[in-house]
Amino acid sequence: MKHHAIAIAVALAGIAGIAAAGQPPAAVPTATSGASDHVQIVSGWAANRIVGAYQSDANVRKCGTTLPLNHVTNNIIFNAGGTVTESPRFPPTGAYNAFGIPGLFTRTIGLGTWSYNPFTRSYSMSLRYDYFVDGVYYGMGTVERDIVLSADGTLASGPVESTLYATTGSTIIDLCGDAVSKRL
């Protein structure tokens, strides 16, 4: 009980300090015990450092293999409040046999969310898109990134994982690699 009262007092003191500085209070991180610890903060100065437009370059391959890397480029906008918009930089007509899928691969923009963890000073991004082969809906893809922002805020880098799913929900391919995003 004593530890609970101390934690509340520390949290209130922090909020009072922010209020006294004339700043709106940001989300207060909370932690739980166990493996499901997760902090999502999408407001406040530190979190919003990522807000802006970036050009991303990633090199990915089928997870767990030494197959050649596939180079992927796109543009990403991290919006204030925690949403993400991503546009692929495929040729306007699509790409043939992309990721080992026979046919003309095209896709929609990616839509998703981002969050900031003040304990690790890192960001997470999660998005999804729909894709088509030869003009027919073939399934959806997801992209997960863990991101560290450079001290000057111009580079966002870290590991990336992407999964392509068929319309049945079965996994077609899991891709793993690294991505670097340069602020535009």
Side-chain angles (χ1 to χ4, degrees):
M1 192 69 149
K2 183 178 180 182
H3 294 290
H4 183 66
I6 292 171
I8 291 172
V10 169
L12 289 174
I15 292 170
I18 291 169
Q23 298 289 332
V28 177
T30 59
T32 59
S33 61
S36 63
D37 289 354
H38 187 70
V39 175
Q40 285 194 347
I41 296 181
V42 293
S43 63
W45 177 85
N48 282 323
R49 286 184 61 232
I50 200 167
V51 170
Y54 296 79
Q55 178 182 328
S56 296
D57 290 288
N59 289 304
V60 297
R61 69 173 125 223
K62 185 174 181 180
C63 296
T65 72
T66 58
L67 292 172
L69 292 166
N70 291 298
H71 187 74
V72 178
T73 60
N74 56 36
N75 294 319
I76 299 176
I77 298 174
F78 292 91
N79 301 296
T83 60
V84 172
T85 306
E86 173 262 358
S87 60
R89 296 190 55 197
F90 276 105
T93 56
Y96 283 98
N97 304 320
F99 310 111
I101 301 170
L104 180 62
F105 181 96
T106 56
R107 55 163 282 199
T108 63
I109 64 170
L111 300 173
T113 60
W114 64 267
S115 62
Y116 175 68
N117 184 329
F119 300 116
T120 62
R121 297 183 191 165
S122 64
Y123 298 83
S124 296
M125 180 194 85
S126 179
L127 64 85
R128 71 154 282 183
Y129 58 88
D130 295 323
Y131 70 96
F132 305 82
V133 176
D134 295 329
V136 177
Y137 178 70
Y138 208 77
M140 70 163 210
T142 61
V143 178
E144 304 289 333
R145 281 185 67 184
D146 291 322
I147 302 168
V148 174
L149 195 60
S150 64
D152 65 0
T154 60
L155 293 176
S157 60
V160 60
E161 292 183 21
S162 181
T163 303
L164 295 176
Y165 298 96
T167 56
T168 61
S170 63
T171 299
I172 293 177
I173 190 169
D174 288 315
L175 301 167
C176 297
D178 291 294
V180 175
S181 303
K182 296 177 186 174
R183 190 181 293 272
L184 297 174

